[in-house]
């Protein structure tokens, strides 16, 4: 198959999932063409069957707002024509699914059928869904896709609740590639913690939906009961506030703000516990990556998190904002016998999301759209 993969090239989970999916398909011999405005961060260097097509926007004084979606649609058309693509798989509804619809119509006028698979990731639905300015376009683009997937059952229900959808949405969960977790060294742990003290970790884009202040407050409550240390990985609008809060709470010397890391798994590999107190989370890829490192997770029961973390088995879940309960959960999970038990279950849970189990789902969906009779 020749597949066009469209995603955000950034550190966000949707870009990571699209990139890893593309790499896995390429390793099987499929030709994968990434179409995006920058090289996806997890793409790495040269590998067979992987191609990258950059979407470049020219700046004209007339444009206060550069029309990215139009340039993207044109690039999709160009790549489909030149590379003879069989289908497009777009990750994130806005603007990828709507640009794909436009590309599909243009190609249809030339007598070429282009199936479009749209994967919904979360904030395209849960945050943008609350913005009436986007609703008609998102509903339309989803309904016009040949197949639609959502990364959790919770996201699937939210999509039906928030948009006028008349299309089947299949749940295909996010996944992990076990080889990424092999050979990660725990050698730098001593830089962040003293012998015998636990190291906690949070990874996100530090946006309000992640409630990073709750990470700091949970950690402060824990640190008042036992010596501990915290790695904060990522960057975003709420980082400065979180740094200030950790100083105000007197734990500034125990919290390490590392910024964005090319490979955040290296931070997970030296940690004992992962904190994810999100307001809303369609899946929580970072939490799954923590489980795959054998790290129990303290999280909220928001969105799709309970589909990833089994409460009382591979981690502990609390209501959003309940920092006291999260601190208690953290203290419980850091006790040696509990930690050993949860660690084993975390690894078991992550294996349910092995890419080997998820990839056949995408194959099935691709084959279905390719063999369906075109209705356009
Ligand atoms: O978490 C974010 O804000 C980034 C966003 C993205 O587009 O990368 O993440 C969403 O997609 C991920 C991959 O499917 C999911 O694991 C995240 O849970 C989801 N984020 C939210 O729902 C807030």
């Amino acid at each position: 198959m020749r597949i066009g993969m469209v995603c955000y090239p950034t550190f966000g989970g949707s870009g990571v999932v699209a990139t890893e999916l593309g790499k896995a398909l390429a390793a099987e011999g499929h030709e994968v063409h990434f179409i995006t405005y920058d090289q996806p961060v997890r793409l790495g260097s040269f590998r067979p069957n992987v191609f990258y097509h950059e979407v470049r926007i020219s700046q004209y004084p007339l444009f206060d707002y550069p029309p990215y979606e139009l340039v993207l649609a044109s690039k999709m058309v160009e790549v489909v024509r030149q590379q003879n693509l069989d289908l497009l798989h777009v990750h994130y509804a806005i603007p990828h699914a709507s640009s794909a619809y436009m590309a599909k119509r243009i190609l249809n006028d030339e007598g070429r059928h282009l199936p479009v698979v749209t994967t919904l990731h979360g904030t395209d639905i849960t945050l943008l869904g609350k913005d009436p300015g986007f609703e008609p376009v998102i509903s339309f683009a989803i309904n016009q896709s040949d197949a639609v997937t959502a990364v959790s059952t919770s996201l699937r229900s939210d999509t039906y609740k928030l948009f006028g959808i008349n299309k089947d949405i299949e749940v295909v969960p996010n996944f992990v590639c076990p080889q990424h977790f092999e050979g990660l060294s725990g050698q730098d742990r001593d830089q962040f913690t003293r012998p015998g003290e636990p190291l906690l970790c949070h990874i996100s884009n530090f946006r309000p939906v992640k409630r990073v202040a709750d990470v700091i407050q949970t950690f402060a409550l824990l640190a008042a009961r036992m010596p501990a240390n915290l790695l904060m990985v990522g960057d975003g609008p709420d980082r400065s506030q979180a740094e200030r809060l950790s100083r105000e709470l007197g734990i500034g010397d125990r919290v390490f703000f590392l910024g964005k890391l090319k490979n955040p798994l290296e931070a997970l590999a030296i940690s004992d516990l992962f904190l994810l107190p999100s307001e809303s989370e369609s899946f929580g890829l970072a939490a799954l990556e923590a489980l795959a490192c054998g790290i129990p997770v303290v999280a909220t029961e928001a969105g799709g998190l309970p589909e990833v973390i089994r409460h009382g088995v591979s981690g502990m879940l609390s209501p959003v904002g309940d920092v006291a309960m999260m601190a208690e959960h953290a203290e419980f999970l850091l006790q040696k016998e509990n930690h050993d038990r949860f660690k084993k279950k975390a690894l078991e849970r992550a294996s349910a999301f092995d890419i080997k189990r998820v990839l056949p789902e995408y194959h099935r969906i691709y084959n279905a759209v390719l063999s369906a009779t075109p209705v356009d």
Side-chain angles (χ1 to χ4, degrees):
M1 260 181 256
R2 284 181 294 275
I3 302 154
M5 198 66 84
V6 183
C7 64
Y8 284 106
T10 55
F11 287 87
S14 60
V16 170
V17 167
T19 309
E20 297 301 348
L21 174 62
K23 281 157 65 176
L25 290 163
E28 289 182 329
H30 300 289
E31 212 175 279
V32 181
H33 294 262
F34 285 91
I35 307 172
T36 179
Y37 60 83
D38 204 352
Q39 169 135 2
V41 280
R42 292 244 187 135
L43 197 54
S45 53
F46 165 79
R47 67 183 65 229
N49 298 326
V50 171
F51 302 86
Y52 162 53
H53 305 266
E54 193 161 292
V55 182
R56 250 177 274 122
I57 304 209
S58 315
Q59 298 296 332
Y60 293 109
L62 187 64
F63 295 152
D64 268 354
Y65 305 99
Y68 177 70
E69 44 276 65
L70 302 185
V71 183
L72 174 62
S74 295
K75 185 54 107 179
M76 288 171 174
V77 170
E78 177 194 311
V79 179
V80 171
R81 281 180 188 150
Q82 287 181 356
Q83 307 298 331
N84 204 17
L85 298 189
D86 297 308
L87 62 90
L88 277 184
H89 187 172
V90 302
H91 295 258
Y92 216 83
I94 286 284
H96 301 155
S98 45
S99 294
Y101 172 73
M102 185 172 286
K104 186 182 170 80
R105 297 304 309 175
I106 294 169
L107 291 159
N108 192 50
D109 274 2
E110 299 171 3
R112 187 193 278 266
H113 172 58
L114 175 71
V116 173
V117 177
T118 297
T119 290
L120 306 173
H121 279 276
T123 41
D124 43 355
I125 299 303
T126 51
L127 295 188
L128 297 183
K130 294 190 181 111
D131 183 341
F134 287 109
E135 190 281 325
V137 176
I138 296 184
S139 295
F140 181 79
I142 292 174
N143 285 330
Q144 293 298 324
S145 302
D146 295 82
V148 183
T149 74
V151 297
S152 64
T153 305
S154 150
L155 181 61
R156 181 176 182 269
S157 338
D158 284 343
T159 310
Y160 283 126
K161 234 181 280 155
L162 292 164
F163 297 95
I165 302 302
N166 55 30
K167 190 106 212 142
D168 267 359
I169 302 177
E170 291 199 52
V171 175
V172 180
N174 288 334
F175 53 81
V176 279
C177 307
Q179 74 271 21
H180 295 171
F181 298 84
E182 287 157 12
L184 289 169
S185 86
Q187 65 185 1
D188 295 322
R189 185 181 158 99
D190 302 354
Q191 284 182 33
F192 304 106
T193 186
R194 292 172 208 113
E197 290 182 3
L199 184 59
L200 286 77
C201 183
H202 169 77
I203 304 175
S204 77
N205 51 19
F206 288 57
R207 296 198 174 275
V209 71
K210 302 293 177 181
R211 296 182 68 102
V212 278
D214 285 5
V215 177
I216 303 299
Q217 268 161 355
T218 300
F219 177 73
L221 291 171
L222 177 75
R225 296 179 208 158
M226 64 193 291
N229 305 278
L230 171 65
L231 296 179
M232 296 290 281
V233 179
D235 212 329
D238 289 351
R239 174 175 170 170
S240 311
Q241 183 212 347
E243 292 202 43
R244 203 167 45 243
L245 182 62
S246 60
R247 283 193 297 273
E248 281 164 13
L249 294 175
I251 48 170
D253 58 333
R254 288 193 169 268
V255 184
F256 300 90
F257 286 85
L258 305 182
K260 289 178 184 169
L261 296 182
K262 201 135 201 149
N263 185 3
L265 302 185
E266 285 169 359
L268 285 174
I270 58 170
S271 302
D272 302 298
L273 196 68
F274 188 68
L275 299 178
L276 193 62
S278 306
E279 175 98 42
S280 136
E281 198 71 66
S282 70
F283 184 91
L285 182 63
L288 174 59
E289 291 181 329
L291 298 181
C293 281
I295 300 172
V297 178
V298 168
T300 52
E301 53 207 11
L305 286 171
E307 296 172 48
V308 180
I309 304 145
R310 293 267 185 262
H311 176 70
V313 181
S314 46
M316 308 281 278
L317 304 175
S318 329
V320 173
D322 196 337
V323 292
M325 190 184 280
M326 286 188 264
E328 269 172 37
H329 286 162
E331 192 179 10
F332 171 82
L333 288 173
L334 288 169
Q335 286 164 23
K336 175 136 179 34
E337 64 280 18
N338 297 335
H339 196 266
D340 289 348
R341 189 157 41 89
F342 276 71
K343 184 183 173 79
K344 198 164 150 267
K345 292 291 178 190
L347 290 167
E348 267 174 41
R349 184 72 191 134
S351 65
F353 297 93
D354 188 315
I355 188 166
K356 276 197 231 85
R357 289 173 183 239
V358 176
L359 203 52
E361 293 297 300
Y362 282 117
H363 280 302
R364 185 179 50 72
I365 291 166
Y366 292 170
N367 286 325
V369 296
L370 286 172
S371 58
T373 315
V375 285
D376 45 20

